[in-house]
Amino acid sequence: MGDYLADNAYGFLPVPIIITEPAVGYGGGVAGLFLHETDEEKERRQKLAKESLDGGAQLVPPAMTAVAAAGTENGTWVVAAGHRRTWMNDSIRYMGGGAIGHANIDIYTNPYDLDFIGEIPALKFDTETDFAVIMQQVQFRLPKTNWLLGAKQVWSTSTLESSNTLVDMTLQFMDLDKTNNSGLGLVVEYDSRDNMFFPTKGYSLNADYMWHREEIGADHDYDTLSVEGQAFVPIGEKWIVAFAASFDSISTDETMLTPTANPYIDLRGVSAYRYQGDQVATAQAQLMYRIDNRWTILGFYGLGYTHNESLSPDFGNCFKSNCVKNSTSSTTVDAYGAGFRYQIARRYGLHMGIDLGFSDEEQALYFTVGTGF
């Protein structure tokens, strides 16, 4: 596969998609990755590729286009396309894309204490969402550094409903059944990894702060912060230790936002949207062993934390207040597992593999491209 891509200026890499995410069920699809480059760029990469098996991985083409379509057994489906382009030796980066689809996802409420009754456990309700989303961002590199600064724009529209009559009526009453969203934000990135597909050394940091406002087309005002970092440390020729951490938060003066707006714990072995919060943090560690140039085995462990602030009934103080009080709740969950990677295109460092993840409540099998983080 790597030799084919190395010999074609407009190489096409078909990538099968196998979905085993517990939140949407089993499914699959296909993605196509188009690698664009000029004759001069192709000649440089082919020359380096002849000197080492993974030489082409250091010269990723400045332009790539991806298209994908996938669906799952519970009726969820998505069609997406995106493009990435760089100029002036990666001094300027642009990335944009869009998607349309339908998502069937279960949402869980946060547990809280109710006077005279005790703790009310988390309740589950189903949601069906039809959506369309467009995203684009542009970044500029600080001269002679690995730092990039830029701006990001997101627009989406969605319709939301639930088979739970009470939930569906609440969504309609709060004007959350049909929602338009538009956000602008700032992006900071640091990247010293040796390969964007399957890094074996280096560090990366991505952070963005988004403002969603009615003045730019959003139905609701809120802010989001997202920070994610990764580190890859080689130990000798065979072992690689990798770390990843993330923090996401959402803040608003609105009474309620759509159920899928809040960030969630994203770990292998934990269903998407199973644990949501106003603030969500995760930390992961992964140990990889390279058997040879093709095969790598790995083990991982992750920890996730959510924090929520909300209003809950306060019947004991109804004569002194309005029968509600501010309450906080938090959840901690851990997950672990093992897997392997097989290098399908040595010239570019493209890896595919399988991870088996476990948590206290479930287990899941993941077919993945890249490191797994």
Side-chain angles (χ1 to χ4, degrees):
M1 182 66 73
D3 291 334
Y4 170 77
L5 293 174
D7 292 334
N8 289 272
Y10 286 84
F12 171 70
L13 176 65
V15 180
I17 300 173
I18 302 176
I19 302 173
T20 55
E21 166 59 50
V24 294
Y26 294 101
V30 65
L33 180 64
F34 298 85
L35 306 177
H36 316 295
E37 59 185 351
T38 65
D39 291 339
E40 180 182 355
E41 291 162 346
K42 176 184 175 182
E43 183 178 351
R44 287 177 56 211
R45 180 175 44 74
Q46 287 181 329
K47 181 179 179 180
L48 184 60
K50 293 177 181 179
E51 298 174 357
S52 63
L53 287 176
D54 60 351
Q58 307 299 323
L59 291 175
V60 175
M64 295 184 292
T65 301
V67 294
T72 71
E73 61 179 340
N74 81 340
T76 296
W77 62 269
V78 64
V79 177
H83 182 75
R84 180 183 185 272
R85 178 81 187 187
T86 66
W87 293 272
M88 300 173 60
N89 294 322
D90 201 25
S91 295
I92 303 175
R93 289 183 185 178
Y94 171 82
M95 182 173 63
I100 59 172
H102 176 87
N104 297 322
I105 297 176
D106 290 337
I107 299 295
Y108 294 78
T109 63
N110 296 311
Y112 61 88
D113 289 323
L114 188 62
D115 293 339
F116 309 117
I117 297 179
E119 182 177 279
I120 302 298
L123 303 177
K124 181 177 74 171
F125 61 90
D126 65 277
T127 64
E128 291 190 30
T129 305
D130 290 303
F131 64 89
V133 59
I134 296 174
M135 185 280 294
Q136 58 182 346
Q137 71 176 33
V138 60
Q139 297 170 286
F140 301 89
R141 183 180 299 277
L142 297 181
K144 299 180 181 180
T145 73
N146 292 318
W147 289 95
L148 295 104
L149 305 178
K152 182 178 180 180
Q153 183 263 336
V154 176
W155 175 89
S156 67
T157 183
S158 64
T159 60
L160 176 65
E161 61 182 31
S162 174
S163 64
N164 185 307
T165 303
L166 179 59
V167 172
D168 199 55
M169 292 177 60
T170 302
L171 293 173
Q172 295 180 36
F173 178 77
M174 300 299 295
D175 291 328
L176 298 176
D177 55 329
K178 297 180 180 179
T179 304
N180 293 317
N181 182 41
S182 180
L184 293 174
L186 300 177
V187 180
V188 178
E189 180 178 349
Y190 176 88
D191 192 353
S192 64
R193 297 172 300 172
D194 58 342
N195 180 257
M196 65 178 296
F197 298 117
F198 191 83
T200 58
K201 63 180 179 180
Y203 307 89
S204 70
L205 174 69
N206 291 276
D208 64 67
Y209 193 96
M210 299 291 296
W211 292 269
H212 304 260
R213 294 292 185 271
E214 294 184 9
E215 291 79 5
I216 56 176
D219 289 341
H220 303 279
D221 292 350
Y222 63 96
D223 298 346
T224 60
L225 171 66
S226 179
V227 182
E228 180 182 3
Q230 297 181 1
F232 298 86
V233 182
I235 303 176
E237 297 182 356
K238 295 288 188 178
W239 294 92
I240 302 168
V241 179
F243 303 95
S246 67
F247 175 80
D248 296 275
S249 69
I250 186 170
S251 58
T252 182
D253 292 329
E254 302 274 350
T255 303
M256 184 182 296
L257 297 174
T258 58
T260 55
N262 281 42
Y264 61 89
I265 291 177
D266 185 11
L267 293 174
R268 287 164 289 183
V270 179
S271 293
Y273 293 98
R274 175 61 182 88
Y275 301 99
Q276 292 180 272
D278 300 323
Q279 298 176 351
V280 175
T282 66
Q284 301 180 69
Q286 182 166 283
L287 181 63
M288 297 181 282
Y289 178 75
R290 304 182 69 173
I291 299 175
D292 53 31
N293 288 326
R294 290 288 188 182
W295 292 94
T296 299
I297 57 175
L298 57 89
F300 57 87
Y301 177 81
L303 189 67
Y305 172 82
T306 69
H307 176 80
N308 294 279
E309 296 183 2
S310 60
L311 297 176
S312 63
D314 187 17
F315 299 127
N317 291 305
C318 278
F319 295 106
K320 300 178 182 179
S321 64
N322 56 359
C323 297
V324 296
K325 63 180 179 180
N326 291 320
S327 62
T328 62
S329 62
S330 62
T331 302
T332 301
V333 61
D334 63 342
Y336 56 91
F340 72 88
R341 299 292 182 272
Y342 178 76
Q343 192 165 208
I344 61 173
R346 289 180 296 177
R347 306 299 185 190
Y348 288 92
L350 285 171
H351 288 67
M352 294 186 67
I354 297 175
D355 290 336
L356 181 60
F358 300 87
S359 61
D360 289 341
E361 297 185 357
E362 57 191 337
Q363 65 183 46
L365 191 68
Y366 299 88
F367 292 82
T368 184
V369 176
T371 64
F373 286 146

